Amino acid sequence: MKSKRQQSDLIIVGAGPAGLAAAAAAAENGLSVTIIDEFPEPGGRMLGQFHEERGHWWVGKRIADELIEKNRAQGVLIRCGVSVYGMLKVDDMWEVSTSHGTMLAPRVLLATGAAEIPMPANGWTLPGVMSIGAAQVMTNVHYVKPGKRGIIVGVNVLAMAIARELSVSGVSLASIVLPPSGPFAGKAALPKENLQLLMSLSHLAPSPILRFGGKIANALGLAGIVSSLFPRSGIKLWDIPLKLRTKVVSINGTDRVESVTLADVNGQGEIIAGSEREEAVDFVALAGGLYPLAELASIAGCPFIYTPELGGHLPLHSERMKTPVEGLYVAGNITGVESALVAMAQGQLAATSICSDAGIFGHNGESKVAAAIEEVHRVRASALIQFHPGIPEARRKIYRMWQETFGAGV
Amino acid sequence: MKPSSLIICRCEEVTIEQLEQAYQTGSCTSRQLKMKTRASMGACQGRVCRQLLEAWVHDKKPDSPRDAELLSYRPPIRPVTFGQLAKDES
């Protein structure tokens, strides 16, 4: 005999910025909402994020606390430490299988966020090697230093943002260096490509070299020349040496990380013979970037599209956050890797879309959805941290594809 | 350490050398490599190495399709005990 199973109007998987924002908005409009998250506390990756923005500190945990409070006040049920391992549509109801039993709802919003792409190097299975996100969670969420002195391998938006957080938190970092060449790093192992990335971030960089150098070199398309002039000793980014002409060769140690072997590279990313040396560190943070975590969309039967600008394979969805699967919606990094602020706006939009589909707004549904879409555009355009310069165009391509496939009015 | 002994699937301890051998003997897509070597079939169900496996195949054959169906997902997508599976039954 089946025991009584919990039913809501809406189940949201993921209690990060997108899920929490969506839950608060949906509950405000009268839906009964359950949020499920496998982490022991709600907030998602906002819990460990903070950065300096136009003279003040943006603290993710504070934003998360406000959203959680809003949700509690609206009667949203937040269930943490619960894993979803499957979902199945039976008649008009989603059966969501979790580690704590099955939950039912006619509509499900997937706000599962993103996962990290590893950056393998010789020795990366030694204790003391972790992903950059793990170093962030240890330091900023659990308040445990990942080690005495570490090194970051991989230069990308995520690595730079977390390097800054670690350094503010008092974690000692030897430097940020390039990953080993090969199929896994691809262009990420080349000095020129990394400099181009930094140029697109130059408005964030505290160093005048990067700020002015970035703008000028970018305008003139000089990344190739500048990268060969980039000082071998690196430049200081905040207080962390950023070394675009140094790469990691191997991570060394017997039972745990004891050192890394570094080498200088030329403009093509090839190792300059004889430049190898050891640097003593007790932890290594590998930064390979993020990809949308969309396993549940896949098993729910949603088709996927490959969009490198947004992090790879992602569930096909409309601009109003609907998937082609009836009653299945997406919001946040599962639709492409962007900042927490964009994720929150997307969560709002998904909730508006869901309430509109549930008939709550009557004739006003379309205008409310249009306003929420406008808000996502506004937030995206003003976001300080752009994970990829091609995001707006990549998004337009997805929505065009949706229009061509499913036509208007879906 | 030789680059070929680099582990790419940590759960199933699959090395690049094993991928290379499988590739040479006819496993050419990410799906075939997964079936042959068990890369991405371990406890994490490919959450860590799926991207690496795809990148490796793409590097071998740059014109190979980027198809999400090749490395499919199947429930349960998280490790689950028999007790949890039976929880709904009484």
Side-chain angles (χ1 to χ4, degrees):
Chain A
M1 200 189 87
K2 296 263 173 191
S3 60
K4 197 163 170 276
R5 297 190 290 188
Q6 191 219 319
Q7 188 175 330
S8 343
D9 295 329
L10 172 65
I11 290 174
I12 298 176
V13 186
L20 288 173
E28 212 178 326
N29 286 299
L31 294 187
S32 63
V33 184
T34 302
I35 312 182
I36 310 169
D37 197 297
E38 59 189 348
F39 198 69
E41 54 178 312
R45 298 312 292 270
M46 273 198 295
L47 294 175
Q49 290 172 355
F50 56 86
H51 61 263
E52 216 171 352
E53 193 175 307
R54 302 182 185 105
H56 70 277
W57 285 91
W58 186 90
V59 181
K61 183 149 184 11
R62 257 183 239 152
I63 311 276
D65 285 344
E66 283 167 23
L67 277 172
I68 293 161
E69 192 40 56
K70 224 171 166 182
N71 275 295
R72 296 241 155 92
Q74 296 284 354
V76 171
L77 188 62
I78 303 179
R79 303 207 42 191
C80 288
V82 178
S83 297
V84 175
Y85 64 80
M87 59 188 289
L88 184 70
K89 191 82 171 278
V90 179
D91 299 323
D92 286 332
M93 204 58 89
W94 284 108
E95 291 190 6
V96 177
S97 309
T98 80
S99 52
H100 290 60
T102 303
M103 302 182 196
L104 304 174
R107 293 186 172 83
V108 172
L109 169 63
L110 299 178
T112 43
E116 288 191 83
I117 304 172
M119 182 61 81
N122 285 324
W124 75 301
T125 51
L126 279 169
V129 183
M130 63 195 78
S131 71
I132 186 91
Q136 183 192 39
V137 170
M138 280 181 84
T139 311
N140 300 346
V141 180
H142 301 301
Y143 307 122
V144 175
K145 284 188 182 181
K148 289 194 179 72
R149 187 167 187 266
I151 191 165
I152 295 179
V153 178
V155 181
N156 54 44
V157 181
L158 188 72
M160 310 296 266
I162 298 179
R164 169 67 161 154
E165 292 172 10
L166 292 175
S167 119
V168 168
S169 303
V171 174
S172 170
L173 291 169
S175 52
I176 304 175
V177 297
L178 298 178
S181 312
F184 307 123
K187 286 181 177 167
L190 301 175
K192 181 180 159 187
E193 268 68 13
N194 278 287
L195 203 70
Q196 262 162 351
L197 171 93
L198 290 181
M199 286 171 184
S200 68
L201 292 177
S202 58
H203 60 291
L204 270 182
S207 151
I209 303 177
L210 269 189
R211 201 153 50 220
F212 300 113
K215 272 186 191 146
I216 295 164
N218 210 10
L220 300 175
L222 291 180
I225 298 169
V226 177
S227 64
S228 59
L229 295 176
F230 197 87
R232 253 182 224 299
S233 55
I235 58 163
K236 290 267 175 112
L237 188 70
W238 299 291
D239 55 346
I240 314 152
L242 171 67
K243 298 187 175 176
L244 289 187
R245 303 183 72 185
T246 304
K247 75 164 65 181
V248 72
V249 177
S250 65
I251 303 164
N252 320 311
T254 318
D255 296 320
R256 53 161 301 118
V257 175
E258 289 160 19
S259 70
V260 287
T261 303
L262 303 174
D264 291 336
V265 293
N266 62 21
Q268 281 69 52
E270 295 153 355
I271 290 174
I272 295 166
S275 67
E276 292 90 344
R277 72 259 181 200
E278 254 185 76
E279 170 115 32
V281 288
D282 66 348
F283 78 95
V284 177
L286 302 172
L290 297 168
Y291 73 94
L293 190 63
E295 307 144 295
L296 283 170
S298 174
I299 61 171
C302 183
F304 277 64
I305 31 173
Y306 183 73
T307 312
E309 296 88 344
L310 289 164
H313 298 291
L314 44 102
L316 180 59
H317 61 282
S318 72
E319 189 156 21
R320 49 195 297 168
M321 304 282 118
K322 249 178 115 132
T323 74
V325 180
E326 186 61 33
L328 186 72
Y329 301 79
V330 286
N333 276 194
I334 187 176
T335 73
V337 176
E338 292 189 76
S339 74
L341 291 174
V342 175
M344 283 162 66
Q346 285 182 317
Q348 285 268 0
L349 166 57
T352 311
S353 189
I354 288 164
C355 290
S356 171
D357 292 348
I360 286 172
F361 298 140
H363 297 303
N364 297 326
E366 281 313 304
S367 63
K368 283 187 187 282
V369 170
I373 289 176
E374 255 337 286
E375 179 61 10
V376 173
H377 289 171
R378 194 193 62 76
V379 173
R380 179 170 294 130
S382 62
L384 198 61
I385 297 179
Q386 301 281 1
F387 277 83
H388 194 287
I391 286 174
E393 181 47 35
R395 292 248 177 233
R396 279 194 289 275
K397 231 163 75 188
I398 295 168
Y399 306 142
R400 265 205 306 277
M401 186 188 279
W402 173 279
Q403 282 294 331
E404 283 158 15
T405 317
F406 301 99
V410 181
Chain B
M1 199 192 260
K2 295 193 309 272
S4 60
S5 60
L6 187 69
I7 286 179
I8 83 140
C9 171
R10 304 173 65 131
C11 300
E12 295 288 323
E13 298 191 343
V14 181
T15 63
I16 288 190
E17 196 169 16
Q18 284 168 286
L19 288 186
E20 190 69 54
Q21 275 168 4
Y23 191 85
Q24 294 307 331
T25 53
S27 303
C28 298
T29 67
S30 49
R31 185 177 177 79
Q32 288 164 345
L33 286 164
K34 163 180 147 179
M35 300 300 191
K36 182 79 178 177
T37 65
R38 286 196 62 79
S40 91
M41 287 175 88
C44 88
Q45 289 288 287
R47 263 200 306 290
V48 177
C49 71
R50 164 183 300 261
Q51 308 287 325
L52 302 180
L53 190 55
E54 245 194 17
W56 190 86
V57 172
H58 204 71
D59 186 63
K60 279 273 171 199
K61 244 168 70 180
D63 58 343
S64 57
R66 295 275 195 178
D67 185 355
E69 295 294 312
L70 281 173
L71 289 178
S72 55
Y73 292 98
R74 287 185 218 293
I77 57 160
R78 289 290 181 280
V80 58
T81 64
F82 282 114
Q84 286 168 335
L85 276 175
K87 205 153 199 165
D88 276 334
E89 314 287 333
S90 55

